[in-house]
Structure formats: C-alpha cells, structure tokens
Amino acid sequence: MAPGSKAEQKAALDAGAWMFNVVTSVGIIMVNKALMATHGFSFATTLTGLHFATTTLMTLMMKWLGYVQPSHLPLSELVKFVFFANLSIVGMNVSLMWNSVGFYQIAKLSIIPLLCIMEVLFENFRYSRDTKLSIVVVLVGVGVCTVSDVSVNAQGLIAAVIAVCGTALQQHYVNYLQRKYSLNSLKLLGHTAPAQAASLLILGPFVDFWLTRNRIDTFQYTSIVTFFIVLSCVIAVGTNLSQFICIGRFTAVTFQVIGHMKTILVLTLGFLFFGKEGLNFHVAVGMVLAVVGMIWYSSASSKPGGKERQGVPSEKGQKSSSSSESELDDKV
C-alpha cells in the first residue's frame, strides 16, 4: 500500500474510533441522565457493575466466535488495574456527592495536567509550546462553560484527589498494558471486564446505599426503568470498547483533551432536550474556546516535535508496540 494511502487509512480509522467513542459516550450520558434524573434510579456504582457484566458477555461471545485469541495478563497487573479503575468510579461518585458541581468539574479538568506529568515522567514524552498552550485553551474553555458555583470542604477535597488520581492511573494503565503485553482493546477488556463486574456488583449496592441511603433491592422497577437500564448496558459495551481503542491508538492525554468534545455535545444536547436554562453568553464563549483549543491541539500535537517520546520517532510514539495486535482495533 502506498504511504499516502496508508496515512489516509489511518486518519480515517482514527476518526472512526473517535466517532465511535463520542457517540457511545454521549449516548450513555443522555440515557443515564434520563434514568437517574427523571426516573430516580440513583445506583450509579451498581449500574457500572452491570455495564461491565454486559461487556464481559460481549468479550466471551467474541472469544467463542474466534475473533479474540487467548492472551495473558499477569494477575498482579490485573489487580492493580481493577483497583485503579474502581477507585476512579467510586471516587468520582463520592466527589460529586461531597462537592459542589463546580468543584467537581474543576477536579475532572485536573486529570489532564496530571496525565501530562505522568507521560513526561514515565513515558518520556515531550510537548511543544503550542501543544501545551492548546491544552490550556481547552481547559479554560471547558472550565468557563461548566464551572459555576465552587465550594470545597476537607472530605470533598480528599474524595476529589482520590478520584482524579484513580482516573489518571486507570487511563494511563490502559495504554501501558496494551503496549507491554501486546493486547488489543478486546483482549484487554476480556481480562479486566469480568474482574470489574464481579467487584462492582459485590461492592456496588453497599456503596450506593452509603451514598444515597436507598437500597437497590427495594427500588420500584417499572418497564421503562428496566428498558433504560438494559439500553444503558448495551451502549456501555461500545463506550468501554471505544475507550480502550482510543487510548491504545493515541494516548491518555489525547483521549482526555479531545474527549472534552463529549462535554460540549452533552451540554448542547442538554439545552436542546432538557431546556435552555443555564445557556448564556459566557457558556457559549466557553464552548467555542474549548472547540478551538481541541482543533489547535490536534494540529499542534500531530506536527513533528509536537508530542513525542524522546529518542523515538513521533509516529511510532503514538502507536502500539505491536501493529499485529492492533489489527482488530483498526477494523472498528
């Protein structure tokens, strides 16, 4: 295949991976918003466990059909990953409960700087000035359109720190495990999803009772609530898979930066479907600023020296260590 054609194919596959993630992520947020805000199903941790249980069924089916070959992930690595991932999930839920929405959003924005530091320290990445500035523009834009009231307390701050660290470590670890053990997204999900499903389904009801003072077994399940739970689980399979694909194809920082497009889309769809309350001039300016920053980041980071591992050609620095193991991801 000609170099130009190969580059065009990679660009198309990259765009397809992003679209897959954006559509499924925005979809699951809108479905969960209807499920929790409209129908009162507030058991977020247990619902996440159901998401991973459904994802586990998908990976088992793919193995049975022969699309996923046997692979190995050391138990110690699996335990660390599940710990980081569950710390992120529970931490984010607790942070949202104990903090104002404004501080919760600020905490989420701090994931990007932390991931940048981790990539510099552990992956030997170097960023150009334009790449750094574009990240700042994205953070300012998203902050302007999402942060309003900001109040913090000691326990809320601790929860936010745990949530941010857990999320950054989990997303960094996705890329690390795929490269180190030559695992594509489906293989890695095949290892991690069952463990996350089991742990969250066991701990979830207790965590949710602690957070909401409501028991999941006494909730009044209607047909519409059951429908939304099933729909949420089905969409979550795509969300989980696309997250691993995107982080594997790019990096955790890129996933976070461009991923804020989902924040903008969720805000826009929220204004369209749930009323225009909260839509004002500074929110609109923040949205535009964030989009401009994302476009700038995409351009700046793709240039030579924009973002690369020191001592490694930039094109290789953005890819998985084994091209053969990414073939299935390329088909998504």
Side-chain angles (χ1 to χ4, degrees):
M1 183 180 293
S5 299
K6 193 172 184 179
E8 291 173 2
Q9 184 186 43
K10 181 183 183 302
L13 290 169
D14 288 349
W18 277 121
M19 285 303 299
F20 184 29
N21 181 254
V22 168
V23 169
T24 55
S25 297
V26 173
I28 199 170
I29 289 171
M30 301 307 291
V31 169
N32 287 352
K33 185 172 183 178
L35 179 62
M36 296 181 183
T38 306
H39 298 285
F41 187 86
S42 57
F43 309 101
T45 310
T46 306
L47 181 62
T48 306
L50 293 173
H51 290 169
F52 281 108
T54 310
T55 303
T56 299
L57 292 177
M58 182 273 295
T59 59
L60 291 174
M61 183 179 298
M62 296 296 280
K63 287 179 181 179
W64 181 70
L65 292 172
Y67 288 106
V68 180
Q69 301 302 316
S71 59
H72 174 68
L73 181 66
L75 180 61
S76 59
E77 299 279 35
L78 176 62
V79 170
K80 283 189 285 186
F81 178 88
V82 172
F83 175 75
F84 295 147
N86 289 354
L87 196 67
S88 168
I89 294 165
V90 175
M92 282 297 179
N93 290 339
V94 174
S95 177
L96 183 58
M97 182 185 73
W98 285 350
N99 293 309
S100 65
V101 175
F103 185 76
Y104 172 78
Q105 291 293 346
I106 290 176
K108 287 181 65 177
L109 289 176
S110 67
I111 294 171
I112 293 178
L114 179 56
L115 281 170
C116 289
I117 293 171
M118 291 172 66
E119 285 191 351
V120 170
L121 293 178
F122 303 124
E123 302 290 338
N124 210 22
F125 268 104
R126 293 297 178 267
Y127 299 86
S128 67
R129 181 176 61 88
D130 281 0
T131 303
K132 294 174 184 175
L133 288 175
S134 67
I135 292 174
V136 172
V137 171
V138 172
L139 293 176
V140 171
V142 176
V144 167
C145 63
T146 60
V147 177
S148 52
D149 62 310
V150 177
S151 61
V152 63
N153 53 68
Q155 65 178 14
L157 178 61
I158 293 172
V161 170
I162 291 174
V164 168
C165 291
T167 302
L169 286 166
Q170 182 262 346
Q171 293 189 358
H172 175 78
Y173 226 56
V174 168
N175 186 275
Y176 166 78
L177 292 176
Q178 288 193 29
R179 287 185 295 104
K180 182 173 181 179
Y181 297 101
S182 298
L183 300 171
N184 62 30
S185 54
L186 270 175
K187 287 183 179 180
L188 184 56
L189 269 178
H191 290 290
T192 60
Q196 282 191 263
S199 57
L200 288 174
L201 288 176
I202 292 172
L203 297 175
F206 299 100
V207 173
D208 289 333
F209 177 75
W210 174 51
L211 293 174
T212 66
R213 292 302 167 188
N214 293 316
R215 288 171 48 182
I216 192 169
D217 59 314
T218 60
F219 184 81
Q220 297 298 314
Y221 293 91
T222 63
S223 57
I224 189 66
V225 168
T226 304
F227 169 76
F228 274 121
I229 290 174
V230 173
L231 181 60
S232 178
C233 290
V234 171
I235 298 174
V237 174
T239 306
N240 292 331
L241 179 60
S242 63
Q243 182 194 52
F244 279 28
I245 290 174
C246 287
I247 295 177
R249 291 185 69 86
F250 311 103
T251 65
V253 169
T254 299
F255 177 75
Q256 278 285 330
V257 172
I258 307 299
H260 277 299
M261 178 60 73
K262 293 176 288 190
T263 304
I264 305 303
L265 286 174
V266 168
L267 285 172
T268 303
L269 291 173
F271 295 139
L272 290 175
F273 294 111
F274 297 100
K276 291 182 170 52
E277 182 180 355
L279 178 60
N280 52 45
F281 178 74
H282 88 270
V283 170
V285 170
M287 288 181 175
V288 172
L289 196 60
V291 172
V292 169
M294 291 173 207
I295 295 173
W296 187 11
Y297 175 85
S298 298
S299 174
S301 62
S302 63
K303 293 178 180 177
K307 178 184 177 182
E308 61 185 8
R309 288 189 178 90
Q310 202 169 45
V312 181
S314 59
E315 184 180 356
K316 292 181 181 178
Q318 301 296 326
K319 295 182 179 179
S320 171
S321 61
S322 173
S323 59
S324 62
E325 291 297 333
S326 65
E327 288 178 358
L328 186 57
D329 289 351
D330 287 346
K331 296 177 183 177
V332 176

